[in-house]
Each structure stands twice: as C-alpha cells, then as structure tokens.
Amino acid sequence: MARNTSKRAVKEAMQGYVFLLPTLFVLLTFIIAPIGYAIFLAFQKVQLLGTASSDFIGIQNFARVAVDNRAHIAIWNTLKYVAIVVPIQTLLAMVLAAVLNAGVRGQKIFRIIYFLPTLTSSAVLTLIFMWMFNQNGLINEMFAALGLPRYNWIGDPRVALNAIMGMNIWSSAPFYMVIYLAALQDIPDSVYEAADLDGANAFRKFWNITVPSLRPVTSFVVIMGLIGTFQLFDQSYIFSAGSGGPNNSTLTVVLLIYQYAFKNLGTMGYAAALAMTLAAIILVATLIQRKFSKEEALH
C-alpha cells in the first residue's frame, strides 16, 4: 500500500513538472539566460559587431562607471526623475481614487476619462507633448494669443526633463488610481460613519482613515513606481532623438545603456556593467522602501 502511494505521488509530481515545462522554458530562455549573459558581459571587453571577440577585464567596466561623467549625469537625472515622479503620481492616484470613490455624479465617465492616458501608447503621448511644447506648438500659440513671447521649451535644459516628468505623472497616475479604487472597496463604511458621528471633516477622514488603511497598497504602488521610473527610456529617447539632449538634460541610465550597447563599438561590456549598476540601485531603493513600510506598519 505504501509503495503504491509513493508511486502515485511520484507520478503526480512528474505530471506537475510536465505542465510547468513551458513556463520554465520561457523563464530560462528569456529571463534567466539573458541575465546570466549580461552578468558575464559586464566583466568582459566585448566586440559583437564585425569580428566578434571578448576579453576578461575583471571589474574595469564597473570602475569606469565611477569616472564616467555622462554616467554621473544619467544617474543624477534618473534619481531626480524618480524622486519627483513617484511621490507625486502616488499621491495624485490616491486622491483621484478617493474622490471617485466618494460617489460623485458621473464617476463612471470620469473613471474612463482619467484612465484614457494609460491606454495610450507612451510613444504617441510623447509625440503629443513634443507638439505641445514645440516652438510653434499649442502652449506657444496660447502665449502668442495672450501677447506673450514664445519660448523654446524643448531646447531649454531646465525644462526638457520637467516636461517628461509632467507627461509621465499625467499618464501613469490613472493606472495606480484603479489599484487604489479596488483597495478602497475593502474599507468598511462603518468606519467613515463613526468618523462622521465624531464630527470629522473630509480631510480628517482621508488622512486618519483612508491613508492608513491603504498603507499596504501604497507600498506596492511605490515599489512598482520605483521600478518603472528607474527604467525611463522611450520618452527620453523620442524627446531627444536618442541623444539625451539638450545638454544631456534628458539623458537617463537606460538611454545611456542603449547608446553604449548599440551606438558605440566595443562598449557592450560597459553597457552591461551599467545595467548591473542600475539593477543594484533599484534593488537598494526597493529594500529601503520596504524597510520604511514595515517600520510604519509596526507603529
């Protein structure tokens, strides 16, 4: 009897592994193997175009990051972008969700309108914003109609990255708003009713009930926002035609990785080292955020 049970357990386990094989194959082929190869390249001087060659150079690629001025600029631009976009888009998503959950008239229509930017391709949104900030774009036309001088928004290093920030906050906040809306459904109405009896106004209810109740969701939203914003590429690429300009003001780490990997010969290994550096930064930022979330939960 025990032997039959053992055989049946082995058979069921084998069947389970057979069903897992397609997923395991995809993970191995498209995730694990590329990551492993990127780690390998990070310690090599690689020439992939023309006569392919690779030479082991140890940590020289990582040491180069410490002295590469463009890498410093890209890291600073990315950190500034993350530090501004993540808090604003998180707060905006929470406020929008709270407003829509309050039962305003036409909330279904507003949900659709707010969510439309998320459904639109980021490339299309970037082209629209480029047209808006163009020398002859919508914003300058409005200035001209008011008798104000036109301004070269896209060509000003002080404005270019801010324009990308505004576009991404506007387009990404609705996605996180939907997540908050789903979480708000789990907060009992009785809690708000008790607050009403205590004379709490709308702001006090939002700050003392809604925000604490949404803390786990906020942690998830912030982590997802960190991962997404650190990987900013397509908007910066389109906005600057792949250069990171003007004056490197829109140069991000991922865009710099692309430039070294596919535009400069013999720097694929250095691009891989930059990718590993970015992965380490994302990991550290995520761990710090999780630590703060756990400390807040304890209090």
Side-chain angles (χ1 to χ4, degrees):
M1 182 68 178
R3 182 177 297 178
N4 291 335
T5 303
S6 177
K7 287 183 178 180
R8 184 163 57 250
V10 171
K11 184 179 179 180
E12 290 177 354
M14 292 301 296
Q15 289 175 342
Y17 284 120
V18 169
F19 285 118
L20 283 173
L21 277 177
T23 301
L24 292 175
F25 174 77
V26 172
L27 287 174
L28 179 63
T29 305
F30 297 103
I31 297 179
I32 298 176
I35 291 174
Y37 188 56
I39 294 173
F40 167 77
L41 290 178
F43 298 93
Q44 305 282 325
K45 182 178 181 181
V46 185
Q47 175 71 39
L48 293 182
L49 300 178
T51 304
S53 63
S54 64
D55 299 307
F56 179 77
I57 57 173
I59 63 171
Q60 290 184 27
N61 286 326
F62 293 96
R64 181 178 171 182
V65 176
V67 297
D68 185 356
N69 186 52
R70 297 195 77 228
H72 299 166
I73 294 173
I75 292 173
W76 169 247
N77 287 342
T78 304
L79 290 175
K80 182 168 65 172
Y81 174 83
V82 171
I84 294 175
V85 171
V86 173
I88 294 178
Q89 75 180 9
T90 303
L91 179 61
L92 180 61
M94 186 186 297
V95 171
L96 288 175
V99 170
L100 290 178
N101 193 61
V104 296
R105 295 183 60 181
Q107 62 178 342
K108 292 184 179 179
I109 297 176
F110 282 117
R111 288 182 185 182
I112 295 173
I113 294 174
Y114 290 154
F115 196 69
L116 281 177
T118 303
L119 300 176
T120 308
S121 166
S122 61
V124 173
L125 288 178
T126 306
L127 292 174
I128 292 173
F129 267 72
M130 286 181 66
W131 167 75
M132 290 175 59
F133 284 97
N134 204 303
Q135 193 73 28
N136 297 314
L138 177 64
I139 295 178
N140 275 327
E141 290 296 331
M142 293 173 60
F143 278 9
L146 296 173
L148 299 174
R150 296 175 182 269
Y151 189 77
N152 185 16
W153 302 94
I154 296 178
D156 190 343
R158 297 170 298 178
V159 176
L161 185 62
N162 294 330
I164 296 177
M165 289 180 186
M167 176 187 65
N168 278 309
I169 291 170
W170 174 71
S171 62
S172 59
F175 172 77
Y176 298 115
M177 176 196 72
V178 174
I179 298 175
Y180 275 121
L181 272 173
L184 284 170
Q185 309 302 316
D186 294 331
I187 302 177
D189 292 335
S190 58
V191 179
Y192 291 104
E193 291 170 359
D196 286 331
L197 293 176
D198 290 336
N201 56 30
F203 176 78
R204 299 295 296 179
K205 287 189 289 185
F206 174 77
W207 186 254
N208 294 321
I209 298 175
T210 304
V211 173
S213 300
L214 294 176
R215 188 170 291 151
V217 180
T218 300
S219 178
F220 169 78
V221 168
V222 171
I223 290 175
M224 294 300 294
L226 286 172
I227 295 173
T229 50
F230 268 115
Q231 299 180 70
L232 174 66
F233 170 73
D234 49 349
Q235 296 95 333
S236 179
Y237 178 87
I238 297 172
F239 210 87
S240 64
S243 67
N247 196 26
N248 291 326
S249 61
T250 60
L251 182 66
T252 63
V253 177
V254 179
L255 179 56
L256 186 63
I257 291 171
Y258 164 80
Q259 291 178 353
Y260 278 121
F262 301 108
K263 287 193 172 184
N264 298 330
L265 296 178
T267 54
M268 179 65 76
Y270 180 56
L274 277 172
M276 293 300 104
T277 302
L278 177 61
I281 293 173
I282 294 175
L283 177 61
V284 170
T286 303
L287 292 176
I288 291 174
Q289 196 282 328
R290 289 190 62 184
K291 180 176 177 60
F292 279 123
S293 297
K294 288 181 180 179
E295 289 180 353
E296 290 178 4
L298 291 175
H299 292 300

